[in-house]
Amino acid sequence: MEGAKPTLQLVYQAVQALYHDPDPSGKERASFWLGELQRSVHAWEISDQLLQIRQDVESCYFAAQTMKMKIQTSFYELPTDSHASLRDSLLTHIQNLKDLSPVIVTQLALAIADLALQMPSWKGCVQTLVEKYSNDVTSLPFLLEILTVLPEEVHSRSLRIGANRRTEIIEDLAFYSSTVVSLLQQDKTSSNLHEAASDCVCSALYAIENVETNLPLAMQLFQGVLTLETAYHMAVAREDLDKVLNYCRIFTELCETFLEKIVCTPGQGLGDLRTLELLLICAGHPQYEVVEISFNFWYRLGEHLYKTNDEVIHGIFKAYIQRLLHALARHCQLEPDHEGVPEETDDFGEFRMRVSDLVKDLIFLIGSMECFAQLYSTLKEGNPPWEVTEAVLFIMAAIAKSVDPENNPTLVEVLEGVVRLPETVHTAVRYTSIELVGEMSEVVDRNPQFLGTALVLARLPLEKITECLSELCSVQVMALKKLLSQEPSNGISSDPTVFLDRLAVIFRHTNPIVENGQTHPCQKVIQEMVNVYHVHQHSCFLYLGSILVDEYGMEEGCRQGLLDMLQALCIPTFQLLEQQNGLQNHPDTVDDLFRLATRFIQRSPVTLLRSQVVIPILQWAIASTTLDHRDANCSVMRFLRDLIHTGVANDTFCRWLENSLKGLPKETTVGAVTVTHKQLTDFHKQVTSAEECKQVCWALRDFTRLFR
């Protein structure tokens, strides 16, 4: 917007049109005009005036949002001597508007946080805020909002403030973190204030990232959170579920932050295992929503311990995992008055599925057979209610596949007991028992008396499998066709899942044995899949391709066929992504494409790297790094990480990295040092000597901060 500053009345009219004009074209014109205003230098003064007048929520929200945006993207427009007055003005606005709308408070809090980060002359900004507002109960909510977003904004990529300023702010946060923790220790703290304080602590814990670099804040929060156990028990006694959930969030974030310490130095310093005790206390709460908060941490703990492969370390954590599994089994119990099979699509059903996944990831720490036998003994020795029996069988099903089936009498005994359940048994128990049998396919395989049709099918000659499989599936396919062609009536269910489940079971247990030189039955499927994908670009076909590479990518005779599949799939995929906003409109395709490429890097890297298709794949990977979609971005980054890790052992890569680093700018346009020679050589050494992918990720993360 060029020319004279618009009048406030004109701005009010545009805001009203944006929110209230019934004509969509009027809204669009107002939105465009206000966007131009936000990009102009007049926006500073107009926003300040709108916040002073406080005419209505809409105009105040627009002004607060504009102020935040200007500070984030156009802070350079302001002369240095105006920064202090802007700070004072924003603090006045947030105090005056604290009761108008929470979203306005959040926008102003973000504006203040971004200003503090970009204003080096504001020394001790956290101290200023805490001393000014912590003793005023009416100001505490917006103070906590500022302290919540400040550690989040410390690592914002939109602010190029450098690592030193970020460290300075984090150290300032450390000194005053006890003020927030004290609010969580008080039983009288209101629910809203309690949630705000919890958000603040979680945000600060998340901001630590590197414990050694931010040790003062780490120590303050570690010691402070450990004091909250009594407050948690008080919240349980008062049946205040909201506060209980808040405490569990904090305890989980504490464990996430200090995970490396917990694994590397268990029981020592910041690896103090009282952190795990806090999570197990939460696991004992009767509401399953509480323990569910901690699932991601337990998964990550299992992942780290699996990589350490240290029996001594594993032994330290065994008792904790056993207690967790017993708690999870209790949480998986259905209600005593439940009728029918367990629901899998409601909230509780999804919780049970997550429990099953978690148990599979952690069972190696206890021992599959030991745990399986212990669970079975509880059913043999006692006479538990049906809901307890069903929950135990559910956990057994989760670990059955990891139990060694070789000469295992317990597994055979379980199998015999399950197939001979009395007719009077509860439907849910029978259903879960069948699920358990499905997970014990190898045991069924070793016991001919239990052989099923699909297992017999897998032992037929290869040339007969396709024909027989088609006949076996045709029964279910005909039922699906009939279901699709008729109107649901006379009580007949229109749910196709029963027939789809049967098809899935057939394919799951049809595992043909292919000798060297023989053509795999999947070969025809691959060609058919490629043909269909050229007509219908559904990303599930790319996902199926990644499964095939994962399964057969290490077999020499399959590699060229899999590469041909990849190249054929890439042609329509690239055409799809080349469309306008192709990446944004097809994140699932990006996700599955780079999952497929990653499987090649993991299973047969040379096959991919010697092909022509690797060049456009790498180009699309670079183009996709800014895609704002979590799953797609994760797949892209995992591909690039594995690609770099594959090349680290190559001297050519080391030389390429060295030359690339030499070409980076060492100073900003105004002469400030961006990166020193030592920092460049340190980064080169960290990447080229890294033994694990995460070390490369950490080095890249720290190095890029020097340029933000």
Side-chain angles (χ1 to χ4, degrees), residues 87 91 122-133 172 176:
R87 174 197 62 196
L91 291 174
W122 189 359
K123 300 293 184 183
C125 58
V126 177
Q127 176 185 358
T128 304
L129 295 167
V130 170
E131 290 179 352
K132 186 171 184 178
Y133 299 114
D172 203 15
Y176 288 95

Side-chain angles (χ1 to χ4, degrees), residues 190-203:
S190 68
S191 294
N192 290 340
L193 195 59
H194 195 277
E195 183 177 4
S198 300
D199 290 343
C200 187
V201 172
C202 289
S203 179

Side-chain angles (χ1 to χ4, degrees), residues 550 554 595 597-605 638 641-642 646:
D550 196 35
M554 298 182 72
R595 180 182 285 109
T598 301
R599 290 291 184 267
F600 255 105
I601 290 293
Q602 293 170 345
R603 299 300 183 194
S604 184
R638 191 176 292 113
R641 181 198 66 186
D642 288 358
T646 301

